[in-house]
Amino acid sequence: MSDYHSKNQEQKAQSVIAYFTMEVGIDPKMPTYSGGLGILAGDTLRAAADLGAPMIGMTLLHRKGYFRQHLDSNGNQSESPSEWSPQELLEPVEPRAAVTVEGRTVEIRAWRYAVQGINGHVVPVYFLDTSLPENSDWDRELTDHLYGRDDHYRLCQEVVLGMGGIAMLRALGCKEMQSYHMNEGHSALLTLALLEEYTRKSGSPTPTEVEKEAVRQHCVFTTHTPVPAGHDRFSLGLARQVLGEERVNTLTSADCCVGGMLNMTHLALSLSRYINGVAMRHGQISRDMYPSYPINSITNGVHAGTWAAVSFQRLYDSYIPEWRRDHHYLRYAITIPLDEIRQAHAEAKRNLLAEVERRAGIHLDPTAMTLGFARRASTYKRADLLLSEPDRLKRIVRQVGPLQIIYGGKAHPRDEGGKDLIRRVLRAAAAVRDLVHIVYLEDYDMALGHYLCAGVDLWVNTPQKPQEASGTSGMKAALNGVPSLSVLDGWWIEGHLEGVTGWSIGDSWRTASVSAVEAASLYDKLEYLILPTFYRRPDAFAEIMRYAIAVNGSFFNAQRMVAQYVKNAYLHPASEADPIFRTGQRQD
Ligand SMILES: *Cc1c(COP(=O)(O)O)cnc(C)c1O
């Protein structure tokens, strides 16, 4: 315990940014994430540790994980719990906290994971856990399932994350944080906990504009969803049941109840001093959705040390040894001989194909051009666009050269549209089976993402514009010299240089998506540009691989992203004065 206390002292002195997230992809052995949002959180914490940023992470334990995906031969998805052993991977900490849920006291403990940066700096991440004998059976399960069960369960979880997270910070001895960063709206109730603290401190009977401004000066909010339906909302009746009348009145006074619903995005918008979307375009879309708030953009990035395949890590270590400390140096990949890039890629491809064989028992051809498509099975991602014209696809293969496609991705258990998409992909795959080998791998996760993004020859992305907030898997691919063929949306608007870092599907990000037009563009590029380059001009293809690393790997990485959060969000000058004395209005 003395060891714990010294760590705690150290932290008290150091931590100034608290990063709150519902999900986090911190360790491939911990199923505490569902997809891009959680992976981004993990990459943020890893990059913060590299940069020596005084950050501390807060999340829920998710003892039963997200879920394991099983697919039958028709592509019907079923799910099973993804159990894991927190005691094997995390260190329990002593302090306890509590929150009030439906008038009951729910006791919370925490488990610590130390994210260690390249120079040894540690960013501690706390996983909140309600599985304690003092709690009722129902409350004990509150930190079991990520995005599981119903709205009632979810709102109670958000109380534990937001309000319980603040209580746990205090129990750990972290008093005045400079910034509380909400990674999406799930943790927005932390603003309510802060508002109550400031109101108690000032002695005001109810929160006034002074206390709200004090909260605002400390909060940073990153929104990730470009469609209003994707935002977290709860009925006011449910909110009253879970939070009580008084707290709901406080929330109502913070402009966060829209259309008779408690809206977590509005709560976070209303009580943050710095707000951002996750790519240039996503910032614009968010400003259109919420015109009364100042919304900036910080484009996402991926943690290079985590997502580079072993063969590329070796290559970078020998040509640009500074890259681990400072990902910007990946720009110098322009000096790496093309042959060595090809060899590193061939190794990553062999490893992927061996993994496909291990998981699915299917042997793929290492010399055939291999396309990758793996992401949440959500209808807007249009996983079936690539297979929408089977005859055209077959003709391309007959005329230009072989093609094989590896798919992966889970549908949320309640997303019938997403589940149907998987079935459609498998049906379409059957229709081209004689000419195009297509594999849909079960249970897409960090480990599989590692193999896939590095081992395919081309990364394909077909979101319906403008619904891809950022996308990060194409960044992982670029880091491994894998070019993208993608609709111009999210990060690709910024990362795309035609024929240099990859290819676009369609030619403008400003126009709405029309599936038939985009499918035609996708097939044209494959037939006339990409496959001919791959099969007949290998040096030209390797040049594109090298530019993907040098141009995109050097920018779309998490160290650059965290540095931008430090410069634009965390060190905002308005946060320097003691907030309780600041009564100025937000600058819109
Ligand atoms: C990177 C990653 C994602 C996010 O990818 P997108 O391009 O945003 O869809 C999702 N799931 C896993 C397992 C990943 O590794």
Side-chain angles (χ1 to χ4, degrees):
M1 281 301 117
S2 64
D3 181 37
Y4 163 72
H5 281 294
S6 64
K7 265 184 212 148
N8 195 24
Q9 288 303 327
E10 194 183 301
Q11 205 166 279
K12 215 189 293 192
Q14 286 180 353
S15 297
V16 294
I17 306 147
Y19 184 81
F20 279 65
T21 184
M22 180 59 93
E23 52 171 306
V24 66
I26 202 102
D27 184 315
K29 293 193 282 300
M30 292 166 55
T32 50
Y33 61 93
S34 83
L37 183 71
I39 306 283
L40 179 85
D43 282 353
T44 300
L45 294 160
R46 285 183 274 272
D50 284 350
L51 298 179
M55 188 184 271
I56 172 171
M58 193 61 72
T59 186
L60 300 186
L61 185 63
H62 304 302
R63 211 174 261 281
K64 307 229 163 109
Y66 185 46
F67 65 88
R68 300 206 57 162
Q69 178 197 45
H70 312 279
L71 296 176
D72 70 13
S73 56
N74 295 318
N76 296 305
Q77 173 181 302
S78 55
E79 300 98 21
S80 63
S82 189
E83 308 255 9
W84 60 293
S85 302
Q87 60 280 8
E88 283 169 20
L89 296 156
L90 303 172
E91 173 202 2
V93 300
E94 200 182 14
R96 295 287 160 96
V99 283
T100 305
V101 176
E102 296 175 323
R104 300 186 303 280
T105 300
V106 175
E107 298 286 335
I108 306 172
R109 71 190 297 200
W111 300 78
R112 183 180 189 272
Y113 186 100
V115 179
Q116 190 143 15
I118 191 75
N119 293 317
H121 178 76
V122 166
V123 167
V125 184
Y126 292 94
F127 290 78
L128 303 176
D129 179 12
T130 60
S131 178
L132 287 168
E134 300 89 304
N135 293 329
S136 72
D137 288 349
W138 198 81
D139 291 339
R140 270 182 230 172
E141 292 178 10
L142 276 177
T143 50
D144 275 357
H145 300 279
L146 173 61
Y147 306 139
R149 304 193 182 172
D150 57 8
D151 278 3
H152 174 218
Y153 183 74
R154 171 79 79 92
L155 182 55
C156 295
Q157 286 191 318
E158 295 192 9
V159 174
V160 174
L161 175 62
M163 308 193 75
I166 295 291
M168 184 56 74
L169 279 179
R170 303 307 177 232
L172 290 164
C174 302
K175 294 275 181 275
E176 287 281 326
M177 309 296 284
Q178 180 165 314
S179 292
Y180 301 86
H181 186 167
M182 293 169 266
N183 184 42
E184 193 48 291
H186 310 122
S187 55
L189 287 173
L190 74 84
T191 61
L192 179 60
L194 294 177
L195 202 52
E196 290 179 356
E197 283 187 351
Y198 282 118
T199 307
R200 241 187 339 264
K201 220 193 283 184
S202 69
S204 162
T206 53
T208 68
E209 192 49 39
V210 177
E211 286 81 24
K212 283 185 211 162
E213 185 56 28
V215 172
R216 216 170 268 140
Q217 286 308 323
H218 281 86
C219 290
V220 170
F221 172 46
T222 301
T223 170
H224 291 263
T225 318
V227 279
H231 292 142
D232 235 5
R233 286 175 297 193
F234 301 98
S235 77
L236 283 182
L238 181 62
R240 280 193 202 95
Q241 179 195 329
V242 171
L243 292 161
E245 189 69 35
E246 192 184 335
R247 283 179 163 164
V248 172
N249 291 343
T250 302
L251 291 171
T252 312
S253 79
D255 304 325
C256 62
C257 299
V258 192
M261 305 284 276
L262 168 59
N263 184 310
M264 293 304 179
T265 301
H266 279 266
L267 175 59
L269 287 169
S270 162
L271 291 174
S272 294
R273 74 161 189 272
Y274 183 88
I275 306 161
N276 70 290
V278 290
M280 175 193 74
R281 176 71 174 142
H282 180 235
Q284 293 176 344
I285 296 287
S286 304
R287 284 192 291 280
D288 290 346
M289 283 198 290
Y290 310 109
S292 47
Y293 294 98
I295 304 181
N296 305 275
S297 290
I298 293 179
T299 301
N300 283 343
V302 297
H303 186 253
T306 301
W307 295 104
V310 172
S311 54
F312 277 95
Q313 297 196 18
R314 272 200 313 268
L315 190 58
Y316 301 153
D317 282 340
S318 74
Y319 283 90
I320 26 176
E322 312 87 337
W323 76 283
R324 287 183 191 271
R325 198 172 60 237
D326 184 350
H327 297 167
H328 290 95
Y329 280 109
L330 288 168
R331 195 72 168 201
Y332 297 178
I334 49 169
T335 59
I336 302 176
L338 295 182
D339 228 25
E340 298 206 32
I341 287 178
R342 265 197 294 263
Q343 279 167 26
H345 176 67
E347 184 177 330
K349 189 170 180 179
R350 274 196 306 277
N351 290 339
L352 167 64
L353 299 193
E355 185 66 13
V356 170
E357 188 137 11
R358 200 181 65 76
R359 289 182 180 230
I362 294 171
H363 178 76
L364 294 177
D365 177 359
T367 64
M369 180 159 208
T370 305
L371 275 47
F373 187 106
R375 44 190 44 85
R376 254 178 330 114
S378 176
T379 45
Y380 84 87
K381 305 243 187 191
R382 298 187 295 182
D384 53 346
L385 193 75
L386 184 57
L387 308 175
S388 58
E389 290 177 41
D391 292 338
R392 175 98 202 254
L393 197 58
K394 289 201 231 179
R395 197 188 79 204
I396 294 172
V397 169
R398 266 190 225 105
Q399 294 183 348
V400 199
L403 200 61
Q404 50 197 13
I405 309 172
I406 306 176
Y407 275 100
K410 298 175 179 176
H412 185 278
R414 287 192 305 275
D415 179 3
E416 289 307 321
K419 289 185 171 181
D420 193 48
L421 184 63
I422 299 176
R423 282 189 286 267
R424 286 208 304 276
V425 168
L426 266 88
R427 263 201 306 275
V432 295
R433 184 167 30 206
D434 48 332
L435 276 176
V436 189
H437 251 128
I438 300 176
V439 186
Y440 200 116
L441 295 174
E442 288 175 319
D443 220 28
Y444 177 45
D445 62 3
M446 275 178 89
L448 185 54
H450 218 271
Y451 286 109
L452 266 175
C453 296
V456 297
D457 300 307
L458 183 70
W459 194 250
V460 180
N461 194 15
T462 51
Q464 197 158 359
K465 289 179 281 185
Q467 295 192 48
E468 182 87 321
S470 165
T472 52
S473 53
M475 302 175 184
K476 297 171 196 163
L479 181 68
N480 288 289
V482 174
S484 281
L485 167 63
S486 169
V487 166
L488 286 168
D489 203 14
W491 82 282
W492 192 234
I493 297 171
E494 301 157 47
H496 161 253
L497 287 170
E498 183 71 9
V500 178
T501 57
W503 298 269
S504 69
I505 297 172
D507 45 31
S508 172
W509 52 268
R510 296 168 201 273
T511 52
S513 276
V514 179
S515 287
V517 173
E518 286 167 338
S521 166
L522 187 162
Y523 291 127
D524 284 348
K525 297 260 168 110
L526 280 175
E527 179 167 4
Y528 302 116
L529 292 170
I530 302 170
L531 283 168
T533 310
F534 181 82
Y535 283 116
R536 295 177 206 142
R537 298 171 59 222
D539 275 354
F541 199 87
E543 190 92 59
I544 292 168
M545 297 174 70
R546 187 163 63 181
Y547 277 125
I549 301 164
V551 176
N552 284 343
S554 64
F555 182 83
F556 296 98
N557 64 69
Q559 288 183 355
R560 185 268 314 150
M561 170 182 70
V562 170
Q564 283 200 284
Y565 277 106
V566 169
K567 287 183 262 196
N568 297 285
Y570 305 149
L571 299 183
H572 194 285
S575 66
E576 278 162 21
D578 184 350
I580 201 73
F581 300 115
R582 293 186 63 87
T583 54
Q585 290 296 311
R586 260 175 318 146
Q587 294 159 356
D588 279 25

